[in-house]
Amino acid sequence: AQSVTQLGSHVSVSEGALVLLRCNYSSSVPPYLFWYVQYPNQGLQLLLKYTTGATLVKGINGFEAEFKKSETSFHLTKPSAHMSDAAEYFCAVSGRGYSTLTFGKGTMLLVSP
Amino acid sequence: DTAVSQTPKYLVTQMGNDKSIKCEQNLGHDTMYWYKQDSKKFLKIMFSYNNKELIINETVPNRFSPKSPDKAHLNLHINSLELGDSAVYFCASSQTVLVEQYFGPGTRLTVT
C-alpha cells in the first residue's frame, strides 16, 4: 500500500524567492516518485521523476527534487520563483513493478510580484 | 501533435442520462488509465487497461464501464449519471516498464 502527504495546500512566495514544496510518502516496496504540475484548466505535466540511481533529480523549468529514503521525503525545490510557476503541484508514488500512481492532495503555488 | 487526447473537453448533462468520454493516445503505449479529479483537486485512479485487458478496477460504481477497442483507445461510458459524478476525468497512458504516465487535457463533466 502506498500513500502521499503533501504539507500545505497552498504555498505563497514572492517572485525570485526559493520555492519549496514538501512531499512525504509511504510505500511497502521501493518507490518510484514523481512530481506533476497542473496549470489552470489543463492536464498534468510531468516535472521530474525518481526511479533509481542519483537521488537528486532535475526536471523541467528549473525544478529539482531529492529522494531521501531515511526521511521518506521527495521535496520539490526551485531556486528562484517565476510568475509562470503559479500552478497546482502533485506528488505521486508508484511501487516498482506496477504502474498505478497514488497522488497527494496537491499544493497550490502562488507567486506574487 | 497531441500525445493523449480526450473528447469532449466539456460535458454538461442532466441526472439520469448516459454519456461517453473518449481517449486516444499516439505514443505507442500499452497501458491506459482513467482518473477522476474531484472538486478539491484530489486525483484517484479508476481503471487501468494493459493491452486491451482490464488490470485495475478500483472501487467504482458499476455505472462506469471502460472499453478498450485497441491499445490506443480507452473510452469511458457512464450510465444513469448522478450529481456526484461531476468532476474532471483524466485519461493517461504509459509504457508499462517505464511507469511514467502521460495525461490528457481532461474532460470536465457537470451533472445538473
Side-chain angles (χ1 to χ4, degrees):
Chain A
Q2 294 147 331
S3 66
V4 175
T5 301
Q6 291 184 240
L7 294 176
S9 59
H10 292 79
V11 170
S12 295
V13 299
S14 300
E15 193 172 20
L18 171 72
V19 175
L20 171 60
L21 304 182
R22 299 178 187 274
C23 172
N24 288 89
Y25 70 91
S26 171
S27 178
S28 55
V29 297
Y32 288 157
L33 294 157
F34 306 83
W35 276 99
Y36 283 85
V37 60
Q38 184 179 27
Y39 297 103
N41 297 315
Q42 294 188 27
L44 280 76
Q45 181 182 7
L46 182 69
L47 273 179
L48 50 79
K49 64 180 181 182
Y50 167 78
T51 53
T52 58
T55 56
L56 180 63
V57 293
K58 295 186 185 299
I60 61 172
N61 302 338
F63 285 93
E64 61 183 38
E66 186 170 12
F67 169 60
K68 292 187 177 181
K69 184 178 178 181
S70 60
E71 298 178 7
T72 61
S73 68
F74 191 58
H75 301 331
L76 181 70
T77 60
K78 181 174 180 177
S80 176
H82 193 273
M83 296 294 290
S84 61
D85 294 328
E88 188 93 27
Y89 291 80
F90 292 92
C91 182
V93 63
S94 172
R96 296 180 187 186
Y98 70 96
S99 54
T100 299
L101 283 176
T102 299
F103 284 89
K105 293 189 175 182
T107 298
M108 174 66 75
L109 176 65
L110 306 167
V111 183
S112 56
Chain B
D1 198 17
T2 305
V4 182
S5 59
Q6 295 177 229
T7 54
K9 189 168 175 63
Y10 299 96
L11 187 53
V12 181
T13 189
Q14 293 184 326
M15 285 175 56
N17 285 347
D18 303 339
K19 290 293 179 185
S20 291
I21 306 171
K22 295 186 176 183
C23 178
E24 177 181 1
Q25 55 94 4
N26 62 8
L27 297 167
H29 290 165
D30 61 5
T31 307
M32 296 184 72
Y33 314 80
W34 279 110
Y35 287 86
K36 180 180 180 180
Q37 186 176 45
D38 63 22
S39 59
K40 295 185 178 179
K41 299 283 185 78
F42 185 56
L43 275 155
K44 195 171 188 320
I45 183 74
M46 298 174 69
F47 302 103
S48 177
Y49 270 73
N50 176 260
N51 286 317
K52 302 195 304 176
E53 292 204 14
L54 182 66
I55 57 171
I56 294 171
N57 184 352
E58 292 294 316
T59 308
V60 177
N62 57 16
R63 298 182 295 103
F64 290 78
S65 53
K67 284 188 171 49
S68 182
D70 55 57
K71 284 196 325 181
H73 296 83
L74 180 62
N75 303 323
L76 183 65
H77 188 75
I78 316 169
N79 290 326
S80 304
L81 278 155
E82 301 177 356
L83 292 176
D85 298 332
S86 295
V88 181
Y89 292 84
F90 286 101
C91 177
S93 72
S94 70
Q95 189 60 27
T96 310
V97 295
L98 293 179
V99 182
E100 178 178 325
Q101 295 183 19
Y102 293 82
F103 283 76
T107 295
R108 182 174 294 276
L109 172 65
T110 303
V111 183
T112 62

